[in-house]
Amino acid sequence: MTSSRSASSGTEAGLAPPLDLAALTVRPTRRPGFWLAGGVCLAALILVVYILVTNDRFRWPVVFEFLFDPRILAGLGLTLFLTLCCMIGSFLLGTVLAVMDSSHNPFIRGMAQTYLWVFRGTPVLVQLLLWFNLGALFPVIGIPGTVFAWSANALISPLSAAIIGLTLNESAYMAEIIRSGLNSVDAGQREAAQALGMRGTLSFRRVVLPQAMRVIVPPTGNETISMLKYTSLVSVIALPELLYSAQLIASKNFQIIPMLLVATIWYLATTSVLSILQRRIEIRFGRGVARTAAQAKPTRARTA
Amino acid sequence: MSVTPIIEAHGIRKTFGTHEVLKGIDFELQPGEVVCIIGPSGSGKSTFLRCLNHLEQPTRGLVRVGDEVMGYARKGTELRTIPERDVARQRTKIGMVFQRFHLFGHMTVEENIIEAPIRVSGVSKDEARARCDELLARVGLFDRKNAYPAQLSGGQQQRVAIARALALRPEVMLFDEPTSALDPELVGEVLAVMRDLASESGMSMVVVTHEIGFAREVGSRVIFMDDGQIVEQGPSEQVLAAPSHERTRAFLSRIL
């Protein structure tokens, strides 16, 4: 088509008559599909709200009565505490595992890989139950016959079992995230640090890790949000975090759905806050990357 | 040649797997001398440069910088290997500039320059900042102190990298193809800084380069390397204008 036209170029038939551009007007294209889809979405939203409001089995008055119940708030506090503890712990342990996994020593590397294999290969629920019942396996922890020996039942409370179980499990996932972050940093950065006389640990802490954070932070944010939800699993070992607190109340007042809704509302609220925090932290660690540098430190960049 | 050389390398060999990259190199650098190493890619010039500050550990051979043998502690006539953190301390005497700059991307220009003096040499923050100002003025980037590397051109980044290496007051500077990653119009500004460093400060320098003009003008000596060996060396004008080896002639005719 095109070739035949170019071949016949010069013939007047191929040329459009001249246009008077000034006389033309521009009209936006009509987009009926856009409004149709919008209408469907709106209808769906109205339907959901209608169901939520009219089905009185949701018992909204009960939900709002217990939303700020001290027991619920205490449960929420424990959920947040668990999330924070376990994420900090697993970040530290994950970093150690990531460094071990990139070691030159095959034994150290093997140890890290075995850890990942075991802790990623088994359900966290099973791990939690195992830690909680550790006393059945090792009645005494420490060196028997010395003062460094404690009864496992005294050491392993629901809280410590929850922290140990969730942290050890999460560390395996964090290790993978941190390892990919460390790998993303150009080897030249470490070399430049070495050439400036920086020791391995110093260059890791000051040069490599901060730059790896840009890659580490987004998935860590996701892991934190997952962790917040995974803490609900520890209700199986009777630790009164948010879900178990709600269930405890429900077992007395038999308002099962309203109490689950209370927990749901709090989970949704806290994960929303975490998502916003994650955005902020991502900008902070994007420092030095051209796209975000100006946003990250506007005042200092401008004085330059 | 009555002065003690500031760097002395003896019988440097380096093997990667089964491939011998350096086949026994002897080298001396006199104080204030600027030695340019030229040669085809893969001839081992960069590897040799990296052996000098032990970024690459030679498979065989020893390097002395100042009064220390790199990577070893001397006990009488015996040498004992030392841990990485002590090698790191030895490296503070040797500044190095890389082909691809390797500025720390998450730090501003100033932070890049004051990092090692503060953390490695234990210089006070005020003193490190004052030294940074002085160095930035010297490389003509005083006004970009708070910029991040990604906001600078390649030439500017390389000048900052030079300032960063100088911040530790090294006795020797190593340059690994410092202008090879630059757009042609930015090469001049980096060479100007290096020229100034050689003439004004009398810095001892080893420069791996493809800039024959720079080698001719600033280099006191030129070394031509090929296939892991020094083929020929001598005063710049002699090696560059009237090379005595066929391989040197062939190389020079290819790149000029």
Side-chain angles (χ1 to χ4, degrees):
Chain A
M1 216 22 199
T2 356
S3 61
S4 71
R5 192 178 281 177
S6 66
S8 66
S9 72
T11 59
E12 303 220 338
L15 292 173
L19 280 175
D20 182 7
L21 286 178
L24 299 173
T25 50
V26 177
R27 281 262 180 81
T29 314
R30 294 192 187 283
R31 302 169 68 188
F34 178 87
W35 295 108
L36 188 68
V40 171
C41 291
L42 195 65
L45 181 67
I46 291 170
L47 184 66
V48 169
V49 172
Y50 177 79
I51 292 169
L52 286 175
V53 171
T54 56
N55 185 344
D56 56 8
R57 292 185 187 196
F58 279 108
R59 301 220 176 97
W60 292 107
V62 182
V63 171
F64 291 116
E65 186 192 332
F66 282 95
L67 195 56
F68 294 98
D69 187 286
R71 287 166 291 179
I72 292 292
L73 293 183
L76 176 65
L78 190 53
T79 288
L80 292 174
F81 174 77
L82 268 180
T83 307
L84 189 72
C85 275
C86 296
M87 284 313 293
I88 291 174
S90 53
F91 188 89
L92 297 176
L93 185 54
T95 306
V96 173
L97 286 166
V99 171
M100 285 170 68
D101 200 7
S102 26
S103 166
H104 294 296
N105 186 327
F107 294 102
I108 292 178
R109 212 165 51 233
M111 206 171 141
Q113 282 162 2
T114 308
Y115 184 98
L116 300 195
W117 175 63
V118 171
F119 283 87
R120 290 200 309 176
T122 52
V124 63
L125 184 57
V126 175
Q127 290 173 30
L128 280 170
L129 290 170
L130 276 172
W131 287 111
F132 186 56
N133 295 303
L134 194 68
L137 195 56
F138 303 106
V140 175
I141 294 173
I143 306 162
T146 68
V147 285
F148 303 104
W150 298 272
S151 148
N153 285 328
L155 278 183
I156 301 292
S157 64
L159 181 64
S160 56
I163 292 176
I164 294 170
L166 292 174
T167 302
L168 293 186
N169 178 259
E170 183 60 28
S171 298
Y173 293 92
M174 284 307 298
E176 290 288 282
I177 290 172
I178 292 166
R179 193 171 59 94
S180 70
L182 296 179
N183 287 345
S184 77
V185 179
D186 188 317
Q189 293 286 311
R190 183 177 281 251
E191 267 188 4
Q194 277 183 312
L196 286 167
M198 295 169 83
R199 281 174 290 114
T201 47
L202 186 63
S203 82
F204 181 79
R205 195 162 52 82
R206 296 284 304 171
V207 175
V208 178
L209 194 56
Q211 298 191 78
M213 287 307 271
R214 200 165 47 82
V215 172
I216 293 172
V217 164
T220 302
N222 293 338
E223 289 297 312
T224 309
I225 290 169
S226 300
M227 174 60 82
L228 187 97
K229 294 179 289 180
Y230 277 131
T231 56
S232 63
L233 287 177
V234 307
S235 57
V236 299
I237 54 175
L239 186 67
E241 41 64 68
L242 182 54
L243 177 62
Y244 196 62
S245 304
Q247 286 175 323
L248 277 178
I249 299 174
S251 66
K252 285 179 194 142
N253 64 10
F254 303 110
Q255 303 286 347
I256 293 167
I257 291 294
M259 295 324 293
L260 286 176
L261 285 175
V262 167
T264 306
I265 290 171
W266 279 117
Y267 280 123
L268 200 54
T270 43
T271 51
S272 305
V273 171
L274 284 180
S275 303
I276 295 167
L277 278 178
Q278 184 188 1
R279 276 298 308 152
R280 296 250 170 126
I281 295 171
E282 268 176 44
I283 293 173
R284 165 73 174 70
F285 281 106
R287 241 185 359 169
V289 178
R291 189 170 50 80
T292 50
Q295 302 168 342
K297 275 195 174 178
T299 47
R300 294 185 66 181
R302 230 169 270 153
T303 54
Chain B
M1 295 258 169
S2 56
V3 228
T4 328
I6 191 160
I7 296 186
E8 196 184 334
H10 180 70
I12 302 296
R13 287 174 182 275
K14 179 69 188 179
T15 312
F16 290 115
T18 56
H19 180 52
E20 192 168 41
V21 182
L22 298 176
K23 300 175 176 171
I25 295 197
D26 296 316
F27 172 81
E28 281 183 2
L29 183 73
Q30 304 299 329
E33 203 183 9
V34 178
V35 169
C36 293
I37 304 180
I38 59 171
S41 57
S43 59
K45 346 181 259 304
S46 288
T47 307
F48 174 63
L49 195 71
R50 294 155 57 83
C51 281
L52 291 180
N53 67 351
H54 262 230
L55 272 189
E56 212 73 77
Q57 200 175 338
T59 312
R60 288 176 72 182
L62 296 171
V63 179
R64 176 183 62 74
V65 176
D67 49 12
E68 294 202 61
V69 180
M70 292 300 293
Y72 298 92
R74 210 167 24 176
K75 273 193 176 168
T77 55
E78 262 184 24
L79 292 174
R80 300 268 171 83
T81 51
I82 53 175
E84 170 61 27
R85 64 170 180 278
D86 293 331
V87 184
R89 186 186 45 74
Q90 292 182 323
R91 288 194 191 105
T92 57
K93 290 183 179 179
I94 314 163
M96 185 160 192
V97 174
F98 298 88
Q99 181 177 355
R100 282 170 50 246
F101 334 129
H102 298 324
L103 292 179
F104 303 138
H106 60 306
M107 297 184 185
T108 63
V109 166
E110 185 181 49
E111 287 165 349
N112 262 281
I113 295 175
I114 64 175
E115 177 71 13
I118 293 174
R119 306 259 166 192
V120 176
S121 310
V123 170
S124 79
K125 206 164 186 176
D126 289 337
E127 200 184 328
R129 285 216 176 104
R131 171 82 174 145
C132 168
D133 287 352
E134 189 187 304
L135 288 167
L136 283 179
R138 191 159 155 195
V139 300
L141 287 169
F142 189 70
D143 56 336
R144 303 311 307 273
K145 196 155 75 163
N146 296 315
Y148 284 94
Q151 297 166 320
L152 302 177
S153 74
Q156 290 174 326
Q157 288 190 54
Q158 194 60 300
R159 286 187 280 156
V160 172
I162 294 173
R164 179 176 69 173
L166 289 172
L168 286 168
R169 302 180 189 276
E171 294 168 21
V172 190
M173 286 284 283
L174 309 179
F175 293 85
D176 188 5
E177 304 199 24
T179 57
S180 299
L182 297 175
D183 290 338
E185 80 270 21
L186 302 176
V187 169
E189 62 189 62
V190 171
L191 291 182
V193 168
M194 291 168 62
R195 194 175 292 128
D196 170 76
L197 192 59
S199 59
E200 299 298 313
S201 327
M203 177 63 77
S204 316
M205 293 161 53
V206 184
V207 187
V208 169
T209 187
H210 291 294
E211 295 291 331
I212 299 301
F214 177 85
R216 184 182 297 125
E217 190 193 335
V218 185
S220 26
R221 186 153 54 100
V222 167
I223 292 179
F224 174 69
M225 272 181 74
D226 193 10
D227 195 25
Q229 285 165 320
I230 292 179
V231 174
E232 141 163 45
Q233 60 177 312
S236 316
E237 56 279 18
Q238 183 196 310
V239 175
L240 295 173
S244 52
H245 281 258
E246 183 48 43
R247 278 196 280 176
T248 320
R249 267 197 289 277
F251 173 74
L252 287 172
S253 69
R254 267 204 310 277
I255 67 164
L256 283 177

